[in-house]
Amino acid sequence: MIVPLIVAAGLTPAWQQIMRFDGFRPGEVHRAIDVQWCASGKVLNVGIALAHLGAASETISLVGGTTGEQIQREFRSLGIEASWVTTQAPTRVCTTILDLKTGAATELVENAAAVDRAELDAFRSLYAARAAHAQMAILTGSLPAGAPHVFFRELLDDTACPAIVDVRGPELLAAIERGVFLVKPNREELARTVGREITGDAQLHSAMLELNDRGAEWVVISDGSRPAWASSREQVFRLTPPRVEPVNPIGSGDCLAAGIAWALPEGSDTLAAIRLGMGAAAFNVSQLLPARLDRDAVASYAADVTCERVR
């Protein structure tokens, strides 16, 4: 077993179905052009992206049932280091519908099944053992029913290295009370976290700086194909991604987090790491299966990301 430089941990993986249609209209019968199945969900996307970038990393998650077995089988076939906690409930199935005529992507998300206290305790013990040797940790994804909203904060108590936290709402607010290196909600998740509508740049910057004040050293806000934003306690930056022909946007935020985490132990400063993460996100958009990155292409996309200080 490798000693991971980066640990990616989350409790809500998914076995993902991706269906492509030449035109899709709700309420009608359609036949798919093709169907792909793959391991996905935020934590698995992060782990897969890290492995494709060449990071010494380990993914930690929950799996159950035949879908959980399929996830484990795919990770073994890809040669990705992972540790699993087995659950009574089967791992959820999520479906992505891609309309080739319009370019629209529709997500059908199954909520993760409830977990019990013993499963949570096993996950926390496993995470603590792996995080003890890590240089960077990524905590990501929603919490299943049965997990307290402070669970990620409890994991941070077992985390001596810098952490990237990609969660939202009460879970994020609880986590940053502990103090974290970087948080990465998207624009919608930021609004949900601070409990107010965000309609313009001034409101966006105010909400970001609020998270900085609450305990996040850096805040990174993704917004699809539009510019991303990054703030420290003193500065705000706008980062404009390169133009790409979109194929499937699912997992791009997870690739952003993975790219940042990969670049930092390699010696990049934070803004350079964020640019690398945006390169990973841009490449991901151009591919059908999420998080299956090409390191050279990611670096090329990252070189085309522009960064401007706005405050």
Side-chain angles (χ1 to χ4, degrees):
M1 178 178 292
I2 64 169
V3 176
L5 295 179
I6 305 171
V7 171
L11 292 85
T12 50
W15 184 237
Q16 189 83 18
Q17 181 184 39
I18 301 172
M19 308 180 73
R20 297 198 297 173
F21 297 88
D22 186 17
F24 183 85
R25 293 175 299 278
E28 298 187 13
V29 176
H30 300 281
R31 294 188 182 274
I33 294 173
D34 54 43
V35 178
Q36 302 279 342
W37 290 89
C38 64
S40 189
K42 293 182 73 65
V43 62
L44 303 190
N45 291 338
V46 170
I48 293 167
L50 287 169
H52 280 76
L53 289 170
S57 62
E58 182 171 5
T59 301
I60 301 171
S61 193
L62 307 176
V63 288
T66 57
T67 46
E69 292 171 0
Q70 290 169 308
I71 287 170
Q72 293 178 76
R73 189 177 304 119
E74 182 173 4
F75 265 61
R76 287 194 298 268
S77 71
L78 293 172
I80 300 176
E81 194 76 20
S83 294
W84 312 101
V85 173
T86 302
T87 60
Q88 293 288 330
T91 301
R92 63 185 177 148
V93 174
C94 294
T95 299
T96 301
I97 297 172
L98 300 176
D99 185 342
L100 302 185
K101 185 171 292 185
T102 65
T106 301
E107 272 289 283
L108 307 178
V109 178
E110 178 184 346
N111 287 329
V115 295
D116 61 32
R117 188 70 245 179
E119 293 165 348
L120 291 175
D121 288 344
F123 182 94
R124 179 168 179 172
S125 295
L126 177 60
Y127 171 81
R130 299 296 190 265
H133 305 288
Q135 293 186 14
M136 179 71 60
I138 304 176
L139 305 179
T140 185
S142 57
L143 289 174
H149 79 279
V150 296
F151 189 75
F152 286 119
R153 188 180 70 192
E154 294 173 350
L155 293 183
L156 289 170
D157 291 335
D158 296 320
T159 308
C161 61
I164 294 173
V165 178
D166 187 5
V167 301
R168 66 188 182 195
E171 298 99 309
L172 178 54
L173 293 179
I176 60 177
E177 289 176 358
R178 163 66 165 67
V180 297
F181 172 68
L182 187 147
V183 300
K184 196 218 68 61
N186 62 33
R187 191 178 184 120
E188 177 187 357
E189 291 167 341
L190 175 64
R192 191 177 307 180
T193 299
V194 298
R196 60 181 181 272
E197 186 178 7
I198 297 174
T199 57
D201 289 349
Q203 292 176 329
L204 175 68
H205 300 164
S206 176
M208 293 172 66
L209 293 169
E210 179 180 330
L211 296 190
N212 289 127
D213 290 341
R214 285 174 174 255
E217 186 175 339
W218 282 90
V219 176
V220 176
I221 305 300
S222 56
D223 193 17
S225 62
R226 292 171 288 277
W229 299 85
S231 67
S232 64
R233 290 181 175 86
E234 298 84 23
Q235 300 172 323
V236 178
F237 300 88
R238 178 173 55 232
L239 297 102
T240 303
R243 297 179 65 88
V244 297
E245 189 67 30
V247 174
N248 182 6
I250 303 305
S252 295
D254 310 321
C255 291
L256 171 58
I260 296 170
W262 170 63
L264 288 169
E266 295 287 323
S268 296
D269 64 45
T270 303
L271 286 174
I274 295 169
R275 290 179 64 193
L276 194 288
M278 292 182 66
F283 178 81
N284 183 74
V285 170
S286 71
Q287 304 299 305
L288 179 60
L289 298 183
R292 279 68 175 173
L293 303 178
D294 178 273
R295 182 169 171 166
D296 292 337
V298 166
S300 178
Y301 278 122
D304 291 333
V305 175
T306 60
C307 180
E308 175 189 7
R309 181 178 174 180
V310 298
R311 179 167 175 171

